Amino acid sequence: MPATYDTSVFINCPFDTDYRPLLEAVVFAVYDCGFCPRCALEMDDSSQVRIQKITSIIGQCRLAIHDISRTEVDDTFALPRFNMPFEFGIFVGAKAFGGREHRRKACVVFDVERYRFQKFISHIAGQDIREHRCDVELMIHQLRDFLSCHCPGAMILPGGRMLVERYHEFNRQLPGLCAKVHLDRDALTYRDLTNLVVSWVLLHPLPHHAPNGAHMAA
């Protein structure tokens, strides 16, 4: 699907090394389901204020993935980082106070454990927070179920198991793909990663189906 407001997905998650496997799985799953992931890492422009970049991307996305799990305190200041809850709040505010298009926004919210968020952000109690347990496969299954509710028309996505198998195959091939274009597997930028994912998905299209069994192009 082309990158439009309806198919663009804002990714709000940690960008540190520990979270990197989950980020790569999220990017792959979003592309493989036919959507376009967007995040603050996609553009490196020191002349642009970071919050302006984030609000601009949120304005261009109907869907979003928010991971509010990074609550650990850092070693230097003994304080947690609040960027993810803050960006989640901007998205909720856009949905609540924006125009008609923004009122159509929808998102999925992740934490390590499903009810842990109640201890540090109780205002979102009552919402369906999903847990990923830092497990790549569980994250992919959850994302597939969320995105399947927002596919256009009668499109039906294959199940999470197939997406997981495809991700593991992509990950297995990734070092070789990096070597072909002289990239370091352990030092990929976000743009490097997305380019490699898109190339792989185009070469290995995921079959989509309509309810009557008719095949739909990926």
Side-chain angles (χ1 to χ4, degrees):
M1 290 186 285
T4 65
Y5 175 74
D6 281 335
T7 62
S8 294
V9 183
F10 174 59
I11 299 176
N12 170 25
C13 71
F15 296 142
D16 56 68
T17 302
D18 290 340
Y19 194 86
R20 182 71 183 200
L22 283 174
L23 173 62
E24 293 186 356
V26 168
V27 170
F28 179 88
V30 172
Y31 270 126
D32 209 24
C33 288
F35 293 81
C36 178
R38 305 285 310 278
C39 87
L41 294 177
E42 67 188 38
M43 186 179 301
D44 188 359
D45 181 1
S46 298
S47 69
Q48 187 177 21
V49 178
R50 184 178 179 85
I51 190 61
Q52 292 176 344
K53 179 195 306 184
I54 291 168
T55 55
S56 176
I57 295 173
I58 289 174
Q60 297 166 27
C61 299
R62 188 175 80 84
L63 305 175
I65 299 162
H66 301 280
D67 189 335
I68 58 173
S69 62
R70 181 64 83 246
T71 58
E72 298 84 357
V73 297
D74 64 49
D75 295 332
T76 303
F77 302 106
L79 292 169
R81 294 179 62 84
F82 293 113
N83 289 345
M84 278 66 71
F86 178 60
E87 292 175 30
F88 173 43
I90 294 173
F91 187 89
V92 172
K95 179 180 175 71
F97 303 112
R100 182 175 63 181
E101 282 297 282
H102 291 303
R103 287 195 291 272
R104 296 175 50 238
K105 288 183 181 294
C107 67
V108 59
V109 183
F110 284 100
D111 194 1
V112 176
E113 300 170 7
R114 187 173 183 184
Y115 300 108
R116 192 184 70 137
F117 74 94
Q118 295 175 349
K119 297 180 177 65
F120 63 91
I121 187 168
S122 60
H123 277 4
I124 62 174
Q127 294 181 237
D128 184 19
I129 309 301
R130 306 193 188 195
E131 63 180 1
H132 57 64
R133 299 179 223 153
C134 298
D135 183 282
V136 164
E137 296 189 1
L138 179 58
M139 176 73 92
I140 292 175
H141 276 276
Q142 298 274 25
L143 287 180
R144 180 268 168 203
D145 291 347
F146 167 67
L147 293 173
S148 69
C149 296
H150 301 282
C151 288
M155 180 184 293
I156 298 177
L157 292 175
R161 182 179 300 177
M162 174 177 281
L163 294 183
V164 167
E165 291 173 356
R166 286 169 58 81
Y167 174 70
H168 285 317
E169 181 59 23
F170 165 75
N171 214 27
R172 186 187 69 79
Q173 296 181 25
L174 187 54
L177 297 174
C178 290
K180 287 182 180 179
V181 291
H182 309 289
L183 290 173
D184 182 349
R185 167 66 182 91
D186 297 322
L188 293 177
T189 66
Y190 179 81
R191 186 173 179 82
D192 292 334
L193 174 64
T194 57
N195 283 337
L196 290 167
V197 171
V198 169
S199 298
W200 192 92
V201 169
L202 289 175
L203 288 173
H204 307 82
L206 180 69
H208 299 80
H209 299 272
N212 62 6
H215 222 58
M216 300 180 68

